[in-house]
Amino acid sequence: MPVVDAPTDSILHALASHGVTRRRFLEFCAATTALLALPQSYAPRIARALEDKKKPTVVWLEFQDCAGNTESFLRAVSPSVGDIVLDVLAVEYHETIMAAAGFQAEAAKDAAVAAGGHIVVVEGSVPTGANGVYCTIGGKSAVQILEEVTAGAAAVITVGTCSSYGGLPAASPNPTGAVGVPELVSGVPVINLPGCPMNVDNMVATIVHFLTFGALPAVDGEGRPLFAYGERIHDHCERRAHFDAGQFAQEWGDEGHRKGWCLYKMGCKGPSTFHNCPSIRWNGGTSWPIGAGHGCVGCSEPAFWDTMTPIYGRLPAPPGFGVTTSVEQIGAGIVGLTAAGFAAHGLIKAGQRKRAHKQDEAPIEIESATADDEEGAGQ
Amino acid sequence: MSHIVVDPITRIEGHLRIEAEVDGGVITDAWSSCTMWRGIEKILNGRDPRDAWYFTQRICGVCTTVHALASVRAVENTLEIVPPLNAQLIRELITATQFVQDHVVHFYHLHALDWVDIVSALDADPAATAKLAGSISNYSRSSEGHFATVKERLAGFVGRGQLGPFTNGYWGHPAYKLPPEGNLLAVSHYLDALEFQRRYIEMHAILGGKNPHLQTYLVGGMAIPIDPNSQNAINAGTIARLRSLLQEGLDFVTQAYIPDLLLVASFYPEWTAIGGGVGNYLAFGDFPEGQQNPSMDPDNLYLPRGIILNKDLSKVVPVVPEKITEYISHSWYSYEGGDGEALPPLEGETTPNYTGPEPPYEQLNTDAKYSWLKSPRYDDLAMEVGPLARMLVAYGSGHKRVQELVGAVLGQLGVGPEALFSTLGRTAARGIETQVLAEHSLTLLDRLTANIDGGDLQIHNGYRWDPKDWPAEASGFGMHEAPRGGLSHWVKIADGKIASYQAVVPSTWNAGPRDTNGVRGAYESALLDTPIADPEKPLEILRTIHSFDPCMACAAH
Amino acid sequence: MTTDATPRPQDEAIERTPSTELVVAKVWELPVRVVHWTIFVSVVVLSFIGFYIGTPFLSTGSDPGFLMGGMRAVHNLAAFTFIAAILARIIWAFTGNKWSHWDQFVPFAKDRRANAKDAFRYYVFLSDDPPHEAGHNALAGATYFVLFTMFLVQVLTGLALLSLESEGFLASTTGWVFSIAPIPWVRFLHHLIMWLTWGFVIHHVYSAWLVDSDAKAGLMSSIFTGWKRLPPEDL
Ligand code: HEM
Ligand code: HEM
Ligand code: NFV
Ligand code: SF4
Ligand code: SF4
Ligand code: F3S
Ligand SMILES: [Mg+2]
């Protein structure tokens, strides 16, 4: 077991000091390079950056959350959460895991913020309704805390769809006026890692990118890093061949479902969702939702709670109709009503003509002319 | 006399604030307040009942399986759908392993630092630690070299001056009693448990695609297919992998968790007389032994249903779900018929009505409304729910394995059954239950394997999957015994949509504020008479509150 | 091609009919007719396949196939044919004869407003005299305007949906669509417009038949041949 003589600030030394060999460290760097979609020649640069850096301070805020992203964080494999929390980062404030409580906890946060240059991780949405009374910590509202803690920060990372876009609390009718963090933060770079919860591999890669290049990775129109949200679930799904073949599970547990056929007809939202689940998968690459037989719900998309539901329908149900009313039913209704309407119109016109016929003599010449005309036109 | 405020209570899920009066070194009164609310019950209105599990699952990412299960059960009961046996067994397997993972994380990562002084571990002698470890268990990572490495890592960590999550802990507090070697042992297992919990829970990814928030529940069954001849379904290979993970879990509990629990408990005997609480214990029970609906059919549950009143273990009272109500006179809600009354969940209302101080504030007005939690009551009585309630009800009902283990633990600590009604009793009950369920999980896997061997591959009952087969109006409830206690979801369905949804949650039972009659909930009662050595560092409050394993996201939803 | 409103020799016989004095006019030039039927065929194909994409009612079962893949490929092919036809018609609206001109689709001019009023009275049973117009009557023109607007939305949503599969030109030109409506609603709209189109077709064929059977100017056949037979004052 390699033992370091003197404690240093480098992350490599920190990892090495408890038995993470250099090889495992380099493997981690290579894997992260791949995840970030960078050429492998970047791996040594990442390694160097991590070796040189002092542990960056992290303040992890939880607002209107379910701690699902914290739990996801606890599932980190490489480096493990122990490595991250004790050696890679200095997590100075994280309510769910920190030892201090009450004003001592607040003091730890204040000290980290006063030093500046910290990374702020936010989990959960921020309620703006009723002056923020729907979420207070230590007597302060989430809005107030967010403002204090992001001042002087190096970057803000929103973990989970709630924090990125408002998520579940912001789902209709949004009883607390919940919003995502980017709506309230200015002057500090913000990156979104949506997902319900976020996948910790993407969080680790984002932090490594930040430490290596001193900047956050490039993002799409929704503020999500392209390396993790650049492509659709549907385009990398292992069941795509079955989609193209026209092989669909029709019922839960039927032959197609058991054989791993496409879940499109079971309401899968993979065709509308950008996330790298099919490639990195979950829990150390063990599986992922579609791999385990349930369709994607679109959890990394803004407002998916309202736009990707009902879960088992392919398309959203329009307001004012039943929750399971499909566009097919509405469309067929429109066509049916139109047909019925014009049939009625035709009947009335026919009656009108009969009356008109009785009242004045129809010029026979025109009728014959029309008959000729039709012949003529048909030549 | 002084007024203490601990906000935030950390090492829990969510936003909990405790205010307490301290007089003569003991707590004379206490108020428990949850300071966050999202309105998920309101958000559910008008949605497809088949989606409800996915929404309610997000009530909590810690007990990530439990609201999903309570929800599908509620909708199934309402629509009279019976899931197939395979689905029932997979659900139970997921639940049992959720208990094990959740309890291990609670003990090592949320609760341990109340009893373990990290800084004191630096004074430990690795050789003596190895000897201590060997004397309590045959757990493998117990060599002198291993403890030396852990100590070194800790020293490096403290030496760098960036203490991270251990910053500002109550280190050196006189109420810490473990010797340095005990502390070092615990720190080592703190790290091991982090690794263990994440590997163990891969089981949930196998069965449900991911954890947290498994994506596999369905009204009428589960979405993970079973087919011995498919690589995209539960097959022999998956079962072998599950079995090895379950065994690993059982080993960790037997060799690390239980011995560590007993070691810690032996240094804190006074805590078997502190933190008792309301004295009434409610368990809904779970883990059906046959193919049955555990909400409606409470007979023959592996963890039995029942109530213990006034700490009287000789009598287990049957549960009548209709006797459950919720008060809001001290909660930031209003009821149409007046805030003083108690409503049964099927008639329940969730209308926010914040009357507290404008943030930032120093103190709540605890005479008025002071929490986002309602106050659930059973037959107008305050109840404690959770591992202690379950173990007491099982003990009182004559559950063999529970009686055996409770007897063994009490014997080893040299105390009688009355010691169970305490902070330490709660913590011990959680450990005992973890052992019981880690064992039971293997039985569940055996039953699932046998059923698949018999040729049954069904995972979903399609009866009434289609909303056009639903009655125009129906209502019902689903019950589930979650890690933190009895959970019930209550739903009304009209015209294919959710017309009303109410969740009555374990941590709400325990952490709720006073009711209209001024009766305290479990947290508030348990804190009474707790000694406080240093009002600036109220470690004792953390001990008792943590013994309940609070989850405020669950409680307030 | 120019407007051909002068009587042709083979029409002499009809010319001589004293009470009607009808003339024959080449109202729909070839491009208009080709576009019309190209749109018709591609809409049939796009709708059938679109319906399949929305609700895959056929399955290849255990046999490996490329049913959905093939369907989507044909949808793309038909979509680009459709787009080409729409573009051609838009160009023709500025280069074709007066009855194919863009102003026939918006009842702004005074005579078009009057014609719209006549047509309206006819449709709501207030008159049995069908609207007199060599080209589209003003109300029909307006429905085509609505239809073309729907088609433009259909093209836009279709291209935006296509862009989900690829980065690059398509994504950067149509990405803004999703800032107006989230992906599922774009799908919904694309799907809904299919049904609205068929609602239009019912109205369209019925009205054409109705007017034709009252006005007897050869309206129905004109969309195949281009010719209509009308009183000269209608030209
Ligand atoms: C009248 C014309 C059209 C009709 C009736 C039509 C119909 C449809 C329908 C019903 C769908 C299924 C939508 C769903 O349920 O998700 C669809 C999908 C689609 N259409 Fe069209 N469409 C038309 C024109 C176009 C055009 C012009 C394009 C442009 C390229 C296009 C591209 C697409 C694409 C990319 C999809 C999605 C395929 C998928 O998600 O796999 N469509 N179309
Ligand atoms: C998808 C189906 C169809 C569409 C989208 C469609 C669309 C159109 C449009 C846009 C016009 C105006 C022509 C122009 O100015 O370019 C038109 C005219 C016409 N179409 Fe269609 N059409 C369809 C099917 C049919 C069918 C099936 C028939 C008859 C069998 C038909 C008969 C006519 C006639 C008679 C006219 C001339 C009517 C007038 O003067 O207003 N159409 N159609
Ligand atoms: N209280 C609670 Fe839960 C549990 N167990 C559930 O219903 O933690 Ni989040
Ligand atoms: S995004 Fe999902 S997992 Fe994260 S806090 Fe919100 S509900 Fe929980
Ligand atoms: S399962 Fe979903 S994501 Fe995968 S191919 Fe089918 S529709 Fe696409
Ligand atoms: S629901 Fe979420 S976890 Fe991945 S498969 Fe879909 S984006
Ligand atoms: Mg509730």
Side-chain angles (χ1 to χ4, degrees):
Chain A
M1 204 140 308
V3 174
V4 225
D5 311 343
T8 76
D9 284 339
S10 107
I11 291 163
L12 172 66
H13 285 287
L15 292 173
S17 72
H18 63 278
V20 178
T21 60
R22 178 142 186 101
R23 178 194 295 195
R24 204 184 119 193
F25 173 71
L26 291 177
E27 272 168 14
F28 161 70
C29 293
T32 307
T33 309
L35 180 55
L36 286 168
L38 295 169
Q40 273 305 320
S41 52
Y42 274 85
R45 183 162 167 198
I46 288 182
R48 232 174 302 124
L50 293 187
E51 279 170 336
D52 294 344
K53 284 282 183 316
K54 189 181 156 78
K55 289 202 291 182
T57 305
V58 169
V59 175
W60 183 305
L61 300 173
E62 291 178 78
F63 295 135
Q64 285 180 301
D65 72 326
C66 76
N69 303 283
T70 291
E71 288 288 335
S72 187
F73 179 59
L74 293 182
R75 309 290 185 265
V77 177
S78 165
S80 79
V81 63
D83 300 343
I84 300 177
V85 166
L86 301 184
D87 303 313
V88 178
L89 304 174
V91 182
E92 291 290 313
Y93 186 85
H94 187 318
E95 286 177 71
T96 307
I97 58 175
M98 70 193 297
F103 68 84
Q104 286 93 344
E106 300 299 276
K109 181 183 69 188
D110 294 345
V113 172
H118 51 296
I119 298 175
V120 181
V121 178
V122 191
E123 172 172 14
S125 56
V126 186
T128 59
N131 208 11
V133 301
Y134 299 109
C135 179
T136 65
I137 301 157
K140 289 178 188 161
S141 72
V143 179
Q144 292 160 346
I145 295 168
L146 187 66
E147 196 185 319
E148 281 178 20
V149 171
T150 52
V156 177
I157 304 176
T158 69
V159 292
T161 307
C162 293
S163 170
S164 299
Y165 309 122
L168 177 57
S172 165
N174 192 351
T176 60
V179 299
V181 166
E183 285 193 38
L184 299 173
V185 174
S186 54
V188 181
V190 183
I191 194 161
N192 295 332
L193 300 180
C196 193
M198 60 90 186
N199 192 326
V200 66
D201 291 355
N202 291 332
M203 180 183 171
V204 170
T206 302
I207 289 177
V208 167
H209 188 287
F210 184 70
L211 298 183
T212 306
F213 303 108
L216 292 167
V219 297
D220 69 2
E222 311 289 357
R224 309 174 285 197
L226 289 166
F227 77 82
Y229 303 86
E231 275 157 277
R232 281 192 308 176
I233 297 275
H234 190 54
D235 294 321
H236 294 276
C237 176
E238 64 221 20
R239 298 184 185 219
R240 179 58 184 265
H242 294 294
F243 173 84
D244 288 336
Q247 292 174 312
F248 303 103
Q250 317 269 354
E251 277 173 35
W252 304 106
D254 70 2
E255 196 199 353
H257 189 227
R258 295 203 305 275
K259 284 185 170 165
W261 288 2
C262 172
L263 299 168
Y264 188 73
K265 294 186 85 169
M266 315 310 279
C268 180
K269 305 298 189 301
S272 302
T273 305
F274 288 80
H275 209 179
N276 56 355
C277 304
S279 38
I280 64 165
R281 300 154 76 93
W282 288 81
N283 300 86
T286 303
S287 188
W288 67 298
I290 290 175
H294 193 287
C296 170
V297 178
C299 75
S300 56
E301 292 296 318
F304 79 96
W305 291 101
D306 292 327
T307 62
M308 304 274 189
T309 50
I311 291 172
Y312 305 100
R314 267 204 58 250
L315 296 176
F321 291 86
V323 258
T324 53
T325 309
S326 71
V327 66
E328 243 58 280
Q329 284 165 299
I330 294 175
I334 291 171
V335 170
L337 283 178
T338 322
F342 286 107
H345 192 275
L347 283 176
I348 300 173
K349 265 290 175 200
Q352 194 184 17
R353 277 185 196 163
K354 234 179 218 160
R355 263 176 282 123
H357 196 75
K358 265 182 204 150
Q359 276 158 22
D360 48 54
E361 300 298 310
I364 296 159
E365 294 83 349
I366 289 182
E367 267 178 34
S368 62
T370 312
D372 286 352
D373 177 31
E374 224 110 87
E375 269 166 44
Q379 65 190 331
Chain B
M1 195 172 90
S2 60
H3 189 88
I4 307 182
V5 175
V6 191
D7 183 4
I9 297 275
T10 52
R11 276 179 287 126
I12 62 162
E13 196 303 321
H15 307 290
L16 175 64
R17 171 186 179 101
I18 297 290
E19 296 195 13
E21 294 288 348
V22 176
D23 202 356
V26 296
I27 294 180
T28 54
D29 207 349
W31 297 268
S32 154
S33 166
C34 172
T35 59
M36 188 276 274
W37 179 73
R38 288 163 290 170
I40 295 171
E41 287 162 343
K42 291 178 85 78
I43 289 168
L44 279 163
N45 276 337
R47 301 197 184 249
D48 187 337
R50 295 172 302 171
D51 292 0
W53 73 265
Y54 188 93
F55 282 72
T56 60
Q57 186 178 42
R58 270 71 183 172
I59 286 175
C60 181
V62 176
C63 61
T64 169
T65 62
V66 316
H67 294 282
L69 180 54
S71 178
V72 289
R73 281 180 176 170
V75 176
E76 284 162 1
N77 291 343
T78 302
L79 299 172
E80 296 168 335
I81 300 168
V82 183
L85 185 58
N86 281 329
Q88 182 193 308
L89 289 169
I90 294 168
R91 288 176 181 182
E92 286 179 52
L93 204 49
I94 290 174
T95 301
T97 50
Q98 171 68 26
F99 269 77
V100 173
Q101 193 262 1
D102 209 341
H103 286 357
V104 165
V105 169
H106 176 261
F107 181 71
Y108 286 104
H109 308 121
L110 306 184
H111 201 16
L113 298 183
D114 299 337
W115 316 99
V116 173
D117 186 335
I118 294 249
V119 176
S120 140
L122 290 174
D123 301 331
D125 168 20
T129 311
K131 209 165 147 219
L132 171 66
S135 74
I136 60 169
S137 156
N138 57 353
Y139 182 67
S140 59
R141 291 159 66 88
S142 300
S143 67
E144 182 185 340
H146 171 73
F147 289 119
T149 313
V150 173
K151 185 179 163 185
E152 200 138 2
R153 186 179 181 192
L154 192 61
F157 185 73
V158 172
R160 276 199 303 277
Q162 278 183 300
L163 268 178
F166 305 120
T167 307
N168 285 4
Y170 300 145
W171 316 127
H173 192 287
Y176 281 121
K177 302 273 173 62
L178 274 181
E181 285 72 25
N183 287 319
L184 181 58
L185 178 77
V187 170
S188 164
H189 291 180
Y190 177 105
L191 297 171
D192 289 356
L194 271 180
E195 269 300 290
F196 162 76
Q197 59 87 26
R198 80 115 196 102
R199 200 169 48 250
Y200 182 74
I201 215 63
E202 281 171 9
M203 181 140 39
H204 281 188
I206 295 171
L207 293 171
K210 72 194 223 278
N211 173 290
H213 295 328
L214 292 71
Q215 200 146 311
T216 188
Y217 292 87
L218 294 173
V219 165
M222 297 297 271
I224 174 84
I226 298 175
D227 191 337
N229 300 313
S230 169
Q231 59 181 25
N232 295 296
I234 295 180
N235 54 33
T238 350
I239 289 179
R241 172 107 191 265
L242 294 176
R243 192 176 303 282
S244 91
L245 286 169
L246 292 176
Q247 188 59 50
E248 199 180 322
L250 180 56
D251 291 346
F252 187 85
V253 174
T254 318
Q255 296 171 11
Y257 185 177
I258 298 292
D260 290 350
L261 171 70
L262 291 170
L263 175 74
V264 169
S266 67
F267 284 91
Y268 294 98
E270 70 278 16
W271 283 87
T272 58
I274 301 171
V278 295
N280 303 320
Y281 301 88
L282 166 69
F284 293 154
D286 218 312
F287 300 103
E289 296 279 58
Q291 181 178 6
Q292 85 203 57
N293 176 332
S295 307
M296 319 308 271
D297 177 4
D299 298 330
N300 215 12
L301 301 179
Y302 182 67
L303 290 184
R305 178 175 298 183
I307 294 172
I308 298 284
L309 288 176
N310 291 317
K311 307 186 183 176
D312 178 5
L313 284 175
S314 69
K315 205 160 129 229
V316 178
V317 180
V319 175
V320 181
E322 288 71 25
K323 292 191 176 176
I324 295 170
T325 56
E326 291 187 299
Y327 281 103
I328 52 134
S329 37
H330 288 283
S331 320
W332 288 313
Y333 303 99
S334 55
Y335 280 169
E336 228 165 73
D339 291 0
E341 64 178 326
L343 290 182
L346 273 183
E347 311 307 321
E349 298 169 22
T350 305
T351 309
N353 174 26
Y354 184 82
T355 57
E358 286 286 299
Y361 58 79
E362 292 295 325
Q363 207 165 314
L364 291 169
N365 176 6
T366 47
D367 293 336
K369 294 174 185 285
Y370 63 90
S371 176
W372 283 112
L373 304 189
K374 297 178 181 176
S375 312
R377 293 292 181 263
Y378 179 86
D379 209 6
D380 233 21
L381 295 171
M383 293 279 157
E384 173 174 342
V385 298
L388 178 57
R390 281 190 292 266
M391 292 303 100
L392 293 175
V393 169
Y395 190 89
S397 310
H399 190 293
K400 287 276 155 342
R401 188 60 181 142
V402 170
Q403 287 185 335
E404 232 170 75
L405 286 168
V406 169
V409 167
L410 293 178
Q412 195 147 345
L413 296 177
V415 290
E418 69 287 348
L420 289 169
F421 307 109
S422 67
T423 294
L424 203 53
R426 223 169 266 125
T427 299
R430 187 173 293 105
I432 292 167
E433 167 171 278
T434 313
Q435 176 78 28
V436 170
L437 288 175
E439 291 166 3
H440 189 60
S441 66
L442 282 153
T443 314
L444 290 168
L445 185 63
D446 287 342
R447 282 171 64 196
L448 177 64
T449 314
N451 197 49
I452 296 173
D453 274 350
D456 181 1
L457 304 184
Q458 208 194 343
I459 42 115
H460 184 252
N461 178 356
Y463 170 69
R464 285 193 168 166
W465 174 251
D466 190 339
K468 72 174 185 292
D469 301 331
W470 297 353
E473 278 184 25
S475 62
F477 62 90
M479 288 182 153
H480 170 40
E481 197 55 55
R484 286 159 195 74
L487 168 67
S488 55
H489 282 203
W490 307 71
V491 65
K492 277 190 188 164
I493 298 174
D495 303 324
K497 300 182 192 182
I498 293 171
S500 144
Y501 204 103
Q502 291 286 322
V504 184
V505 179
S507 291
T508 324
W509 285 96
N510 289 339
R514 289 153 166 69
D515 63 25
T516 302
N517 308 315
V519 177
R520 293 182 186 85
Y523 288 9
E524 294 181 348
S525 305
L527 284 173
L528 297 182
D529 302 327
T530 300
I532 298 289
D534 177 359
E536 291 285 299
K537 293 180 174 175
L539 177 61
E540 299 85 349
I541 291 183
L542 294 188
R543 285 181 176 168
T544 292
I545 294 297
H546 283 158
S547 74
F548 286 95
D549 189 5
C551 178
M552 290 305 110
C554 273
H557 43 274
Chain C
M1 230 170 282
T2 51
T3 309
D4 183 3
T6 44
R8 295 177 303 173
Q10 66 265 44
D11 291 325
E12 292 296 287
I14 302 157
E15 268 296 287
R16 271 180 263 113
T17 312
S19 59
T20 51
E21 289 186 46
L22 297 184
V23 294
V24 170
K26 178 77 165 283
V27 181
W28 312 124
E29 299 142 296
L30 186 66
V32 173
R33 286 174 285 142
V34 168
V35 162
H36 181 271
W37 292 110
T38 306
I39 288 181
F40 174 72
V41 172
S42 55
V43 165
V44 169
V45 172
L46 285 164
S47 299
F48 177 77
I49 295 181
F51 183 80
Y52 178 79
I53 295 173
T55 316
F57 47 89
L58 299 170
S59 172
T60 44
S62 301
D63 307 325
F66 196 64
L67 190 53
M68 180 60 96
M71 290 277 198
R72 292 179 63 255
V74 178
H75 194 82
N76 290 351
L77 203 71
F80 285 105
T81 313
F82 175 79
I83 292 172
I86 304 263
L87 285 178
R89 186 63 185 83
I90 292 174
I91 293 170
W92 202 252
F94 297 92
T95 51
N97 70 14
K98 69 167 178 171
W99 296 296
S100 56
H101 201 246
W102 64 267
D103 63 7
Q104 297 297 292
F105 299 94
V106 279
F108 287 162
K110 201 166 172 202
D111 60 323
R112 295 299 279 168
R113 287 205 307 264
N115 185 267
K117 197 176 160 204
D118 288 353
F120 183 77
R121 288 175 52 79
Y122 170 74
Y123 285 124
V124 300
F125 317 114
L126 292 174
S127 127
D128 8 288
D129 191 19
H132 294 274
E133 180 59 61
H136 317 300
N137 77 56
L139 275 194
T143 64
Y144 303 141
F145 178 77
V146 173
L147 182 76
F148 272 93
T149 310
M150 265 166 35
F151 282 167
L152 287 179
V153 175
Q154 193 73 338
V155 168
L156 208 61
T157 52
L159 290 174
L161 287 174
L162 200 59
S163 80
L164 295 176
E165 296 166 35
S166 59
E167 289 162 62
F169 176 73
L170 210 52
S172 49
T173 41
T174 60
W176 59 270
V177 170
F178 298 114
S179 56
I180 296 177
I183 302 168
W185 284 110
V186 170
R187 280 182 197 286
F188 186 95
L189 187 61
H190 191 76
H191 205 124
L192 187 68
I193 289 178
M194 171 181 83
W195 289 107
L196 293 175
T197 303
W198 286 101
F200 159 84
V201 172
I202 292 174
H203 149 261
H204 174 63
V205 176
Y206 166 80
S207 303
W209 165 83
L210 183 75
V211 173
D212 196 15
S213 63
D214 271 339
K216 304 193 171 28
L219 178 71
M220 282 304 254
S221 58
S222 71
I223 196 66
F224 295 95
T225 65
W227 299 96
K228 274 194 190 180
R229 189 175 303 277
L230 317 133
E233 67 271 18
D234 282 0
L235 286 178

